[in-house]
Amino acid sequence: MGEAVQRRFLGLTAAVAALGMTATLSACGGGDAGSGDVTLKLVAADYGTGPENSSEKYWSGVASGFEKEHPGIKIDVTVLSWKDVDREVAEMVKAGNAPDIAQIGAYADYAKAGKLYTADETLAIRTTANFLPSLTYAGKVDGTLYGLPFVASTRLLFYNEKLFEQAGLDAPETWDDISSDAAALKAKGVDYPFALPLGQEEAQAETLMWLLSGNGGYTDDVGSYDIDSAENVATFRWLRDNLVGKGLTGPVAPGKLDRAKAFEAFTAGKVGMLNGHPTLMDEAEAKGVKVGMVPLPGADGPTKGSMGVADWMMGFKENGHRKEIGAFLDYAYSDENVLEFAEQYDLLPVTGSASAAMETDKKHQKLHEFLAALPNSTLPPFGKTSWATVSDAIKKKIGSAVAPGSNPESILGEISAEATQAEAAE
């Protein structure tokens, strides 16, 4: 996902303040015998695009600041690309060499296996209470918070203002608007009137946005998978009949269109509408594309809740450094740190106090619409260990549900059956 982080979590409580006493640290946290010093191994994902904005610079700065305040604790920072970081951490854990802290894309498997500390075991109460509720909910397994939200993002419908002006169009508010606007854009020769990337790269996210706009989703009110619900089937029938079937999604079939290619076409001025995030907004405007943004239109009006995305921080039990991990996490979630990361990568803070600070800062005005959507956002079911399997099934099959002549009910039913089986195996 790559973008934002938040940190505001006051000064350390009395228990954490005791961390200044290295002898106490080693006794409580399992430091090196005799030395009183503890080294925490931190493995984090790189949100940067090159050496000049690598996340390693950010984490090195946080580590340095923390070490000055806690002379008995050292932070060993390793930053890996998103292509490698989840796999590398999994291999470390399997080899019995887990990091103390990981900032990666998934936490549920480790939580279910009993390898993670809970938030209650590590964080100050005010740190935990500062996380946005929707993100806290998404970080829980069986009602207990293990995955600490690190950075977040939401999605809005993007449209090319120049192409809309040329076609005499206003911003869409409903599905019917999307269909009629896309037809007008096609008549003007726009390559991708509505880019619908349901290829394997990020199909699970694009799918969730549409399900939410049709008053559906991946799960029901009690958190069980409900992928082939009547609402979800109706949504994909609409996409099949009113966008794809009418030739309004461009020259590449949605099932073969990856998000990166759709985004690339948008920044090149070839797309009328698509679902986007803050990074795409910056990339498009840097190339001279003026971007309009509205909440994703629904069947009868704007969708009330956006899709949210988050990445996660977690503390591993293996080395027994519970208190030291807690001290570092409380420090990392200070407003100053959270906002610095969010600002650098155009992401959204995960804490209430940092979000409030960003909301009142005019320099972040371009992010305010995304920020406003975050509290009511719906995230994928990250707390299910089955989600990785289900997500993979969606990526492989969902594109065929919108192909002309397809049977969305049958395809959603296949995915739903896989989800039920995967959930039963949790």
Side-chain angles (χ1 to χ4, degrees), residues 12-33:
L12 313 161
T13 57
V16 175
L19 293 174
M21 302 172 61
T22 56
T24 302
L25 276 180
S26 62
C28 296
D32 299 332

Side-chain angles (χ1 to χ4, degrees), residues 86-413:
D86 284 285
R87 185 191 73 251
E88 291 276 355
V89 169
E91 290 175 357
M92 292 175 192
V93 173
K94 186 176 180 181
N97 186 32
D100 295 287
I101 301 167
Q103 186 275 297
I104 52 179
Y107 66 86
D109 283 344
Y110 301 126
K112 284 275 191 179
K115 296 183 180 298
L116 300 181
Y117 288 117
T118 67
D120 288 344
E121 290 173 318
T122 53
L123 296 178
I125 292 172
R126 53 200 156 186
T127 300
T128 305
N130 203 14
F131 291 130
L132 295 172
S134 61
L135 303 180
T136 298
Y137 178 81
K140 290 182 176 181
V141 172
D142 297 331
T144 300
L145 182 61
Y146 290 93
L148 312 179
F150 172 72
V151 62
S153 182
T154 53
R155 301 291 186 266
L156 297 171
L157 179 80
F158 285 18
Y159 62 94
N160 183 312
E161 290 192 352
K162 180 179 178 181
L163 296 179
F164 264 60
E165 288 169 7
Q166 290 173 344
L169 301 173
D170 295 322
E173 295 183 359
T174 66
W175 284 356
D176 285 346
D177 291 343
I178 287 177
S179 183
S180 61
D181 289 353
L185 292 165
K186 182 181 180 180
K188 288 287 187 179
V190 175
D191 290 352
Y192 292 86
F194 194 106
L196 184 65
L198 293 174
Q200 290 196 28
E201 179 194 352
E202 195 77 5
Q204 82 287 357
E206 184 74 17
T207 297
L208 180 54
M209 286 181 262
W210 282 101
L211 298 185
L212 293 172
S213 76
N215 298 312
Y218 285 134
T219 58
D220 60 20
D221 291 340
V222 296
S224 298
Y225 286 116
D226 195 23
I227 293 172
D228 60 346
S229 68
E231 293 85 356
N232 293 348
V233 171
T235 294
F236 271 79
R237 283 178 177 160
W238 186 89
L239 288 170
R240 178 197 64 187
D241 297 341
N242 294 280
L243 283 185
V244 183
K246 292 182 178 179
L248 301 178
T249 53
V252 180
K256 296 188 180 302
L257 181 63
D258 282 344
R259 186 182 70 168
K261 291 297 183 182
F263 283 11
E264 187 179 302
F266 186 78
T267 63
K270 298 179 179 180
V271 174
M273 295 172 277
L274 50 54
N275 293 317
H277 57 49
T279 303
L280 174 62
M281 173 185 64
D282 283 347
E283 291 173 352
E285 291 182 350
K287 293 192 175 182
V289 175
K290 194 172 181 183
V291 182
M293 297 179 291
V294 292
L296 182 62
D300 303 312
T303 304
K304 292 182 174 61
S306 169
M307 184 194 77
V309 179
D311 296 324
W312 307 97
M313 187 96 84
M314 62 213 70
F316 283 88
K317 292 180 177 179
E318 187 171 303
N319 300 315
H321 295 149
R322 179 179 65 84
K323 288 191 174 182
E324 295 87 343
I325 290 171
F328 179 77
L329 292 174
D330 281 326
Y331 180 87
Y333 280 107
S334 72
D335 279 355
E336 180 183 359
N337 289 329
V338 167
L339 286 168
E340 181 186 342
F341 195 92
E343 290 170 3
Q344 183 169 354
Y345 299 108
D346 282 327
L347 286 173
L348 304 178
V350 294
T351 64
S353 56
S355 294
M358 180 175 279
E359 193 171 11
T360 58
D361 192 334
K362 289 185 178 179
K363 74 178 179 180
H364 298 302
Q365 192 158 1
K366 64 183 181 180
L367 293 175
H368 286 178
E369 286 189 64
F370 295 96
L371 197 62
L374 186 57
N376 296 319
S377 63
T378 298
L379 282 74
F382 290 117
K384 293 178 177 289
T385 57
S386 58
W387 172 239
T389 299
V390 175
S391 176
D392 191 53
I394 295 166
K395 290 179 182 180
K396 290 177 179 176
K397 297 183 176 183
I398 200 65
S400 60
V402 298
S406 67
N407 185 338
E409 187 169 8
S410 174
I411 292 162
L412 288 171

